[in-house]
Amino acid sequence: MKTDKIIKAAVIGWPINHSKSPLIHGYWLAKAGILGSYEAIGIAPESFNAGISNLVLQGYAGCNVTIPHKETALNKADSVSDRAQAIGAANTLVFKDGKIFADNTDGIGFINNLKQGAPDWRASAGTALVLGAGGAARAIVYALLQDGAPKVLIANRTLEKAKILSDFFGDKVGVVSINEVPDALGEVHTFVNTTALGMTGQPELIIDISSLPKTALVTDIVYNPLTTDLLKQAQGLGLITVDGLGMLLHQAVPGFEAWFGVRPVVDVELRQKVLAG
Ligand code: ATR
């Protein structure tokens, strides 16, 4: 059998066994009937350079990159998308003619999840409040601004980290302390939790969002549980909610399209498969 026609992609990380990416890409490969493969490959931090070079040599079309390689991958790339540069990390690599192109699709995955889950939602309709100031927050603040958010407020346990992000992104991005969040909510159109609080095994996210406007959208990047306490509270208040599972699915779309040449669709069956797997 000739194997050189099989388009190969992978996800690399350390550890890698919990990654849902093989399930997602495997579903799309089967659905589109593409002769392709997508596997999870564990690469230890000290082996990153050799590991990537091996994938390029073996003719891989590219790979997803997860913890702890996201920053290293950006630095190793020959060219970098504007969004990966701004976010300071890469999650998607495309190999072409022996060169590495680095992209970051977390932010666009976040936005496209909201657009699918709440079709009438617009970033441009009002202020966003982002809880957290880590890597996920950075990608989300960038994407909200790109999508037209007029103002983004960042609230974080460590205020200094929120200030660093706001300084990086400029005038449209401000900082509020955790204590100031309840007073800020009245003008918030989009409320986002980017911390791991509320995830199974993590501390609870204790926050009162009852002063959000009735038209506000609440979303959480935590998807285990799928309906977090934050989303339950929002639903109880009659607010629009979008869960975090779709961000994971939508961030995978651009990589699949770049490697396999078909733009895949995030559908209910995929959601169910990932939840079950
Ligand atoms: P990620 O890349 O997933 O965003 P990260 O960079 O480690 O992860 O960021 C985690 C975020 O969750 C940070 O904003 C962190 O707050 P600090 O900057 O103060 O560390 C927030 N976070 C994590 N555990 C928290 C907790 N117990 N209480 C409040 N915030 C917490």
Side-chain angles (χ1 to χ4, degrees):
M1 189 176 78
K2 278 189 79 174
T3 54
D4 56 348
K5 281 190 186 149
I6 294 179
I7 305 171
K8 292 180 293 187
V11 55
I12 61 166
W14 189 260
I16 197 63
N17 38 345
H18 294 301
S19 174
K20 304 267 192 202
S21 294
L23 212 162
I24 298 169
H25 290 275
Y27 170 81
W28 285 331
L29 283 172
K31 187 133 192 157
I34 292 170
L35 192 57
S37 68
Y38 186 101
E39 68 209 286
I41 302 176
I43 295 182
E46 62 276 15
S47 309
F48 180 82
N49 280 342
I52 282 285
S53 301
N54 256 331
L55 295 183
V56 174
L57 283 174
Q58 288 172 33
Y60 277 73
C63 64
N64 285 122
V65 181
T66 188
I67 293 166
H69 300 311
K70 286 183 160 193
E71 285 86 15
T72 324
L74 186 79
N75 296 330
K76 167 93 176 156
D78 298 293
S79 62
V80 169
S81 69
D82 288 348
R83 58 195 184 191
Q85 193 68 56
I87 294 165
N91 74 341
T92 304
L93 303 181
V94 179
F95 307 148
K96 200 159 179 238
D97 303 326
K99 302 269 192 228
I100 301 170
F101 168 70
D103 194 8
N104 189 310
T105 64
D106 285 334
I108 195 69
F110 169 80
I111 294 288
N112 287 341
N113 181 38
L114 295 192
K115 288 184 172 168
Q116 187 175 42
D120 294 334
W121 173 85
R122 297 283 178 278
S124 57
T127 299
L129 193 146
V130 172
L131 213 54
R138 198 180 182 93
I140 286 170
V141 170
Y142 175 80
L144 284 165
L145 292 171
Q146 283 292 112
D147 211 51
K151 188 170 165 191
V152 180
L153 298 173
I154 305 173
N156 192 47
R157 174 180 60 180
T158 312
L159 200 61
E160 194 48 40
K161 279 175 70 183
K163 283 188 180 138
I164 291 169
L165 264 196
S166 109
D167 287 347
F168 176 81
F169 285 115
D171 291 349
K172 287 184 181 167
V173 181
V175 164
V176 288
S177 71
I178 294 287
N179 294 337
E180 290 166 339
V181 169
D183 290 335
L185 289 178
E187 62 155 314
V188 169
H189 172 67
T190 310
F191 183 96
V192 191
N193 174 42
T194 76
T195 75
L197 297 178
M199 189 191 291
T200 305
Q202 296 287 327
E204 277 176 78
L205 172 58
I206 298 165
I207 191 156
D208 178 355
I209 55 166
S210 57
S211 46
L212 278 171
K214 289 293 166 215
T215 50
L217 175 142
V218 177
T219 187
D220 200 327
I221 70 162
V222 172
Y223 58 85
N224 177 22
L226 192 57
T227 308
T228 59
D229 285 347
L230 172 68
L231 296 183
K232 279 186 197 155
Q233 188 187 158
Q235 286 167 359
L237 292 163
L239 306 177
I240 307 158
T241 60
V242 178
D243 68 59
L245 179 63
M247 178 177 170
L248 172 76
L249 307 179
H250 281 279
Q251 64 77 32
V253 168
F256 188 94
E257 186 176 16
W259 306 318
F260 300 113
V262 173
R263 189 163 179 89
V265 174
V266 174
D267 58 19
V268 175
E269 197 185 343
L270 176 62
R271 275 178 66 89
Q272 284 164 349
K273 273 203 170 4
V274 172
L275 282 175

